[in-house]
Amino acid sequence: MRKNTCKKIYITLATAMMLGVIAGCSNPISQQGNTTEATTISQNNDNKTEVTDSTEEVETTEITTEATTAKEENDTVEPTIVESENNPDANSEAMAAIKEIWDKAVEYVKNEDEEGFYSNLFVNGEKGEWDDDFKSIRNFLNDYFMTDENPRIEFQEIFESGNYYLMVVKGYSKSQYEYKTIPITCIDGKWLIDRTSESYKKKDEKMYSYVPEGYIEAKDSGRNVYINDWTLVWMNTSIYVPGQFRTPISLMWQNADGSVDVLMNVQNGKDEDKQVTKWRMFVSSDNNEKIFDINYDGDGTVIPPKTAKNMLVHIKKEDVKTGMAEWNVDFLSISNSYR
């Protein structure tokens, strides 16, 4: 069930805003596009995907350039640990555990003690088959958000399944952000990172219980599919980046008639409502073969402050330039922009 995880998928979200309505953590999805009416549905590392998400408005280019310059100078700043603004259903013991585990993990990484990192912090001392946590945490600590003014780190729970908790470490500044998901479990009174095969199974079972039936049907039928299964923040709509408006792609699949549906997670961490009317969506493969490139009008939906919502956009089959041909998801490029 982890077919997509083994491939590199490069996604660029440039100056993006999405519209939609979703309530709670039980997968409601709002659907919209240039070829369909908006509807609401009640449902609530080397070999690893890389994501660049730049979704602020006009000032994005300038801010990103400044962050890049600071990055080249290795001008990182010690982040401030802050309490989550919105984490109503999180398990308090799991929240305390992820903070303690994170502090220890950071020390191991800073000391370049990879052996101690895995042997002391992981179930059975087991490194994940699909995740290089030592490397990814090191990269997290050197991410662009650490070069901006007042970087912060925040912890939230994405979901729980029995004694298994998928947590997210959220690093952000004024213009940048990064997510690091960490599965943890409690064994004999000790909380540990869980990258065992059983852990991956639990994550996949929970993830596929959230996705729309259209995705499952397309996947089972061998048609084109894409899923963001490395962060999964789209599964919990209480997660957003404070001060920022972000729209990461969550899912994309092709229907039997050749049309395509795209599910996006809309995170409004601003203090005011967001409303956008004009859109452009562009998707291509690594050889620059255009899959689709469309412009469409929004319906004026208002996205309240401090909320996250999912939206389903339907692309008509005549707008899919590659027909039913297989997408080269090794290097899939997705760009959403509003005007």
Side-chain angles (χ1 to χ4, degrees):
M1 291 194 295
R2 300 185 53 81
K3 178 180 178 182
N4 291 321
T5 312
C6 302
K7 299 182 178 180
K8 289 187 178 179
I9 305 169
Y10 293 84
I11 305 171
T12 302
L13 306 177
T15 335
M17 256 192 189
M18 295 299 145
L19 306 174
V21 178
I22 195 169
C25 302
S26 52
N27 283 7
I29 299 170
S30 174
Q31 180 172 356
Q32 162 171 319
N34 66 327
T35 57
T36 187
E37 298 81 12
T39 60
T40 300
I41 304 173
S42 294
Q43 57 175 11
N44 180 313
N45 136 347
D46 291 330
N47 202 23
K48 195 173 183 180
T49 304
E50 295 185 18
V51 179
T52 302
D53 180 7
S54 179
T55 57
E56 286 295 336
E57 302 179 46
V58 179
E59 72 260 12
T60 299
T61 302
E62 180 179 352
I63 289 174
T64 302
T65 301
E66 292 175 352
T68 302
T69 301
K71 180 71 172 180
E72 292 172 349
E73 297 172 353
N74 294 318
D75 188 19
T76 58
V77 182
E78 191 68 25
T80 301
I81 306 296
V82 297
E83 293 297 323
S84 174
E85 296 179 344
N86 187 21
N87 208 29
D89 300 320
N91 179 281
S92 59
E93 291 186 15
M95 287 295 295
I98 186 60
K99 293 174 184 177
E100 182 178 351
I101 288 172
W102 179 259
D103 287 342
K104 293 178 180 178
V106 169
E107 287 305 309
Y108 281 118
V109 170
K110 288 182 176 179
N111 293 328
E112 292 294 328
D113 184 2
E114 187 169 0
E115 181 179 354
F117 176 85
Y118 286 108
S119 62
N120 294 314
L121 298 181
F122 285 67
V123 174
N124 301 327
E126 187 174 334
K127 178 179 179 180
E129 180 181 0
W130 306 99
D131 299 88
D132 186 340
D133 288 281
F134 189 85
K135 179 179 178 180
S136 64
I137 290 177
R138 181 171 56 197
N139 291 342
F140 183 99
L141 297 174
N142 290 287
D143 197 78
Y144 288 121
F145 83 90
M146 296 286 284
T147 69
D148 277 358
E149 183 180 355
N150 194 22
R152 299 186 176 195
I153 288 180
E154 185 178 317
F155 306 91
Q156 283 190 263
E157 177 187 311
I158 299 177
F159 68 78
E160 62 85 20
S161 179
N163 192 36
Y164 173 89
Y165 296 83
L166 186 64
M167 315 299 287
V168 62
V169 183
K170 189 167 58 180
Y172 61 93
S173 59
K174 181 179 179 180
S175 62
Q176 308 289 335
Y177 83 105
E178 179 62 60
Y179 288 134
K180 167 63 180 173
T181 53
I182 299 178
I184 62 174
T185 191
C186 186
I187 299 177
D188 296 330
K190 183 177 182 180
W191 287 90
L192 297 167
I193 299 174
D194 190 352
R195 293 293 188 188
T196 61
S197 58
E198 184 64 22
S199 168
Y200 285 117
K201 181 180 178 181
K202 288 180 180 179
K203 187 183 84 166
D204 282 348
E205 287 177 348
K206 193 76 170 183
M207 177 179 70
Y208 285 112
S209 73
Y210 273 63
V211 302
E213 292 183 4
Y215 176 91
I216 298 296
E217 196 274 329
K219 181 177 180 292
D220 291 344
S221 300
R223 295 194 301 274
N224 290 309
V225 295
Y226 158 75
I227 188 168
N228 175 344
D229 64 350
W230 63 95
T231 64
L232 297 182
V233 295
W234 51 272
M235 293 174 59
N236 187 334
T237 55
S238 70
I239 297 175
Y240 56 83
V241 182
Q244 299 183 27
F245 191 96
R246 298 293 178 182
T247 58
I249 299 296
S250 303
L251 310 167
M252 187 163 65
W253 67 93
Q254 190 161 35
N255 300 303
D257 64 357
S259 63
V260 172
D261 287 315
V262 182
L263 183 69
M264 288 157 290
N265 181 231
V266 188
Q267 303 171 16
N268 183 11
K270 300 284 190 177
D271 293 324
E272 67 277 351
D273 292 340
K274 284 293 184 178
Q275 182 179 19
V276 182
T277 56
K278 300 289 185 179
W279 291 93
R280 182 194 178 196
M281 181 181 294
F282 175 84
V283 177
S284 66
S285 62
D286 65 323
N287 60 359
N288 294 321
E289 182 178 27
K290 186 184 298 183
I291 298 174
F292 57 81
D293 184 1
I294 64 169
N295 292 280
Y296 60 97
D297 294 330
D299 65 357
T301 300
V302 174
I303 304 169
K306 306 287 179 70
T307 61
K309 304 175 180 180
N310 288 327
M311 171 188 166
L312 190 64
V313 176
H314 182 74
I315 312 300
K316 285 198 309 184
K317 63 179 180 181
E318 50 264 40
D319 291 324
V320 181
K321 308 302 181 183
T322 52
M324 297 294 290
E326 183 179 0
W327 301 339
N328 187 347
V329 295
D330 286 337
F331 297 93
L332 190 66
S333 176
I334 303 175
S335 174
N336 291 309
S337 60
Y338 72 89
R339 296 175 285 127

